[in-house]
């Protein structure tokens, strides 16, 4: 299957009641329309997970429309507790979050429809909701200029259901309503976040330290932002049609000669970079669209910039040269509310891939199962959480993996032979004798060893006796010699018969 990059856009009528919006999938290179999914007005980002789903909320009703790529019609219609002002799905489409005009946030599980939590998160309308790349945190931006970071594990914890949810931390430095939030690709807490506001600023936050890194000030209010995957630069768009490119690095002259590339900003709240300054022209570039900008996106290769406008046009620019390559004008009378790039789904309706070996889109669901979506609950139900069930579809395998034989295949017969070779005793393998003969041989060897041990023991006893006798004789001889050396004979008297008597005197 050839990989093909596509553009998924969501449209909404420019005026209320003038029509119905929908999801439309375009080819990025040619700009042609690949599929259209109607009857929605405000939409979330698509979920490119198991089968892929798209969820869109109607603007004038508390209804949620669910689509999948295998059908061009609504797959499921869900009635919500109230109308939503924004909507978000995590990367795996496990959880769906919706914000309201009253500052309330709802959190559902997509597969079961369980309403895990609903709480008053802000004082005013929730304008934007975004999940981090790992789905651990939910970031909300409101018209009250506040940005809050919520922990998903705490929000779905059954033991904390009766407690008022509190944010993990808040990012409060904007002075006017928040318009957009963009999360980096790193998992929490190593990711960084960009936030834009009507106060003419875009702020870069570090979630690990919960601190402000840099503030960028623009000449106009900022309505939407997009960040490249390597976090080298970002684009910020204003409602007047100006799109600024801001590089997060710069070149400077090294003291030993040559050029050195270094990061800009990073000193915290005191760090303010004015994009409209003449000194900033080297690190910012301007694209003029001449139409109100409503959405931004980058291609997967980060070589193309997509700009959606309020008049229904999608402009494709080359990022390196800022040259306009093409414009997609298939949505006249509509406003672009969402832009996202993705690979062409293999089960896309009307474009079924031949590699799936299916004859129609009806059979594609058996090869690529659709992500299960259950109707969302309108009220919190503790019993539903206790009997929590999630529908999952596992692919059926017709044959055992590697049954066709590969270069690292290990046949069963060869395995048994190798096993017998390693567990067989070495002596039996070399001599080939029977067990009874081997037993007799071992008994004879034991008898020989006993005889050798008896002879060795006798020799050892004899040597021990000779050594002991020798040491004893040497000791007695030494004692007699010392006794003679300490004794002298003294003449005591002379007898009448002329004979001398003497006695021993021992020296002390």
């Amino acid at each position: 299957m050839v990989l093909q990059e596509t553009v998924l856009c969501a449209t909404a009528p420019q005026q209320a009641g003038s029509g119905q919006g929908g999801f439309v999938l375009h080819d990025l290179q040619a700009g042609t329309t690949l599929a259209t999914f109607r009857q929605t007005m405000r939409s979330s980002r698509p979920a490119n997970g198991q089968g892929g789903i798209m969820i869109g909320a109607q603007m004038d009703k508390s209804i949620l429309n669910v689509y999948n790529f295998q059908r061009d019609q609504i797959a499921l219609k869900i009635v919500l507790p109230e109308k939503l002002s924004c909507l978000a799905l995590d990367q795996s489409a496990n959880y769906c979050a919706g914000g309201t005009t009253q500052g309330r946030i709802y959190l559902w599980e997509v597969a079961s429809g369980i309403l895990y939590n609903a709480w008053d998160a802000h004082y005013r309308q929730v304008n934007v909701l975004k999940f981090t790349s790992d789905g651990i945190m939910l970031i909300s931006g409101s018209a009250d200029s506040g940005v809050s970071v919520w922990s998903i594990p705490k929000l779905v914890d059954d033991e904390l259901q009766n407690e008022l949810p509190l944010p993990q931390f808040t990012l409060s430095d904007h002075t006017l309503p928040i318009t957009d939030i963009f999360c980096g690709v790193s998992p929490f807490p190593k990711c960084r976040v960009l936030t834009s506001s009507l106060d003419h600023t875009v702020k870069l936050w570090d979630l690990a330290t919960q601190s402000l890194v840099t503030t960028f000030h623009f000449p106009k209010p900022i309505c939407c932002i997009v960040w490249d995957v390597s976090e080298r630069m970002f684009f910020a768009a204003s409602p007047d049609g100006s799109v600024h490119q801001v590089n997060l690095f710069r070149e400077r002259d090294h003291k030993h000669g040559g050029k050195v590339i270094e990061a800009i900003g990073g000193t915290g709240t005191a760090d303010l970079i004015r994009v409209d300054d003449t000194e900033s022209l080297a690190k910012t570039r301007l694209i003029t669209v001449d139409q109100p900008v409503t959405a931004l996106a980058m291609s997967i290769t980060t070589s193309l910039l997509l700009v959606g406008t309020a008049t229904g046009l999608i402009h494709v620019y080359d990022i390196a040269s800022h040259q306009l390559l093409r414009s997609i004008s298939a949505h006249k009378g509509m406003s672009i509310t969402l832009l996202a790039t993705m690979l062409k789904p293999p089960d896309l309706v009307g474009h079924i891939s031949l590699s799936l070996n299916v004859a129609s889109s009806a059979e594609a669901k058996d090869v690529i199962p659709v992500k299960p979506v259950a109707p969302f609950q309108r009220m919190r139900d503790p019993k539903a959480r206790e009997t929590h069930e999630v529908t999952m579809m596992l692919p059926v395998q017709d044959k055992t993996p590697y049954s066709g034989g590969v270069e690292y295949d290990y046949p069963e017969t060869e395995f048994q032979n190798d096993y017998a070779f390693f567990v067989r005793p070495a002596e039996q393998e070399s001599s080939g004798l029977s067990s009874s003969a081997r037993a007799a041989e071992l008994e004879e060897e034991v008898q020989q060893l006993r005889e050798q041990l008896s002879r060795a023991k006798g020799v050892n006893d004899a040597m021990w006796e000779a050594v002991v006798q020798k040491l004893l004789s040497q000791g007695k001889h030494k004692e007699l010699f010392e006794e003679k050396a300490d004794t002298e004979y003294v003449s005591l008297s002379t007898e009448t018969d002329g004979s001398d008597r003497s006695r021993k005197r021992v020296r002390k």
Side-chain angles (χ1 to χ4, degrees):
M1 183 180 63
V2 179
L3 300 179
Q4 181 181 355
E5 189 171 1
T6 59
V7 180
L8 180 66
C9 68
T11 61
Q14 296 180 4
Q15 298 178 358
S18 60
Q20 293 181 340
F23 288 101
V24 183
L25 196 66
H26 297 281
D27 179 69
L28 179 60
Q29 300 301 327
T32 57
T33 302
L34 301 178
T36 302
F37 309 88
R38 295 294 182 184
Q39 297 182 356
T40 189
M41 292 185 181
R42 181 180 288 111
S43 56
S44 73
R45 58 167 299 166
N48 302 321
Q50 183 182 7
I53 61 173
M54 298 167 288
I55 298 180
Q58 293 190 11
M59 187 180 301
D60 57 344
K61 299 179 181 179
S62 58
I63 293 178
L64 201 66
N65 296 331
V66 182
Y67 302 84
N68 59 67
F69 293 120
Q70 299 177 10
R71 296 178 57 187
D72 57 356
Q73 299 178 356
I74 297 177
L76 180 63
K77 184 173 291 188
I78 301 174
V79 180
L80 300 173
E82 55 182 309
K83 290 187 293 185
L84 300 181
S85 58
C86 58
L87 195 61
L89 279 172
D90 65 347
Q91 292 283 357
S92 302
N94 293 326
Y95 296 102
C96 176
T100 69
T101 57
Q102 305 299 325
R104 193 170 181 81
I105 297 179
Y106 293 87
L107 181 65
W108 293 278
E109 186 179 40
V110 175
S112 63
I114 293 178
L115 177 59
Y116 270 107
N117 225 314
W119 70 101
D120 295 324
H122 295 275
Y123 298 106
R124 300 179 64 186
Q125 174 177 311
V126 181
N127 290 334
V128 57
L129 290 172
K130 291 294 178 68
F131 284 91
T132 55
S133 60
D134 54 1
I136 297 298
M137 292 292 170
L138 174 66
I139 305 177
S140 61
S142 171
D144 60 7
S145 73
V147 178
S148 300
V149 182
W150 309 88
S151 173
I152 297 299
K154 291 183 179 179
L155 293 176
V156 302
D157 191 353
D158 290 337
E159 297 181 357
L160 302 177
Q161 291 299 310
N162 296 326
E163 299 181 7
L164 178 65
L166 297 176
Q168 191 78 4
F169 53 88
T170 58
L171 308 175
S172 55
D173 198 68
H174 287 287
T175 57
L176 288 178
I178 305 299
T179 56
D180 200 4
I181 298 174
F182 200 99
C183 300
V185 296
S186 300
F188 181 83
K190 297 181 180 180
C191 62
R192 298 191 296 176
V193 173
L194 283 175
T195 59
S196 64
S197 173
L198 294 179
D199 59 5
H200 297 211
T201 63
V202 172
K203 296 182 182 292
L204 177 60
W205 306 86
D206 183 12
L207 297 189
T209 58
Q210 306 175 15
S211 61
L212 176 64
V213 178
T214 306
T215 300
F216 301 89
H217 189 275
F218 295 85
K220 298 290 183 179
I222 302 300
C223 59
C224 52
I225 53 178
V226 65
W227 206 358
D228 76 325
V229 68
S230 59
E231 300 182 1
R232 301 170 302 169
M233 59 183 175
F234 70 88
F235 289 88
S238 299
D240 64 345
S242 58
V243 181
H244 296 269
Q245 175 184 341
V246 182
N247 296 329
L248 300 180
F249 61 91
R250 64 185 174 191
E251 289 185 357
R252 66 174 180 86
D253 297 329
H254 196 268
K255 62 180 181 180
H256 299 296
K259 298 289 186 179
V260 178
I261 298 178
E262 64 180 7
I264 64 173
T267 57
T269 56
D271 189 5
L272 178 63
I273 299 177
R274 296 187 178 274
V275 177
D276 54 343
D277 288 347
T278 56
E279 298 178 356
S280 303
L281 294 177
K283 56 179 176 291
T284 180
R285 302 169 67 185
L286 180 64
I287 299 176
T288 303
V289 183
D290 294 332
Q291 294 172 347
V293 178
T294 55
L296 291 177
M298 280 189 185
S299 62
I300 297 177
T301 58
T302 65
S303 60
L304 301 177
L305 174 67
L306 288 81
V307 180
T309 65
T311 59
L313 295 177
I314 301 176
H315 300 291
V316 182
Y317 290 90
D318 179 68
I319 292 180
S321 62
H322 285 191
Q323 181 180 0
L324 178 61
L325 301 180
R326 70 188 64 88
S327 295
I328 302 175
S329 57
H331 312 289
K332 292 183 179 180
M334 295 289 178
S335 176
I336 306 298
T337 60
L338 170 75
L339 281 177
T341 56
M342 55 181 293
L343 294 178
K344 180 182 177 181
D347 58 340
L348 181 63
V349 56
H351 301 271
I352 301 298
S353 176
L354 297 178
S355 61
L356 295 180
N357 296 323
V358 295
S360 63
S361 59
E363 299 178 4
K365 64 181 181 180
D366 297 331
V367 180
I368 301 181
V370 179
K371 180 78 176 182
V373 181
F376 291 173
Q377 293 179 350
R378 302 181 62 184
M379 299 181 62
R380 298 170 62 181
D381 186 6
K383 295 182 179 180
R385 290 195 298 270
E386 294 177 359
T387 60
H388 186 196
E389 293 184 358
V390 176
T391 303
M392 299 182 64
M393 295 185 63
L394 301 178
V396 179
Q397 296 181 351
D398 297 333
K399 54 184 179 180
T400 306
Y402 314 120
S403 59
V406 291
E407 58 183 2
Y408 50 84
D409 191 11
Y410 202 177
E412 183 68 19
T413 56
E414 184 178 352
F415 171 76
Q416 295 294 342
N417 294 335
D418 293 344
Y419 177 77
F421 174 80
F422 283 109
V423 300
R424 185 185 308 165
E427 294 82 4
Q428 181 177 351
E429 181 180 351
S430 58
S431 61
L433 300 176
S434 61
S435 58
S436 57
R438 181 59 180 166
E441 183 180 354
L442 292 175
E443 290 180 358
E444 183 179 357
E445 185 177 356
V446 170
Q447 185 64 27
Q448 293 177 359
L449 292 175
R450 287 178 178 176
E451 293 177 357
Q452 294 177 2
L453 178 62
S454 178
R455 289 196 296 269
K457 186 177 180 181
V459 172
N460 183 69
D461 293 343
M463 292 175 62
W464 174 257
E465 185 68 23
V467 170
V468 170
Q469 293 298 332
K470 183 177 179 180
L471 291 176
L472 291 176
S473 61
Q474 290 179 354
K476 291 181 179 181
H477 183 270
K478 185 176 180 180
E479 291 178 358
L480 292 175
F481 178 78
E482 291 177 352
E483 184 178 357
K484 290 182 179 181
D486 294 338
T487 306
E488 65 178 359
Y489 293 88
V490 180
S491 177
L492 297 177
S493 61
T494 303
E495 297 291 339
T496 55
D497 55 0
S499 62
D500 295 333
R501 291 189 307 173
S502 60
R503 68 175 181 181
K504 290 190 297 182
R505 187 175 64 184
V506 179
R507 287 179 298 189
K508 297 183 178 180

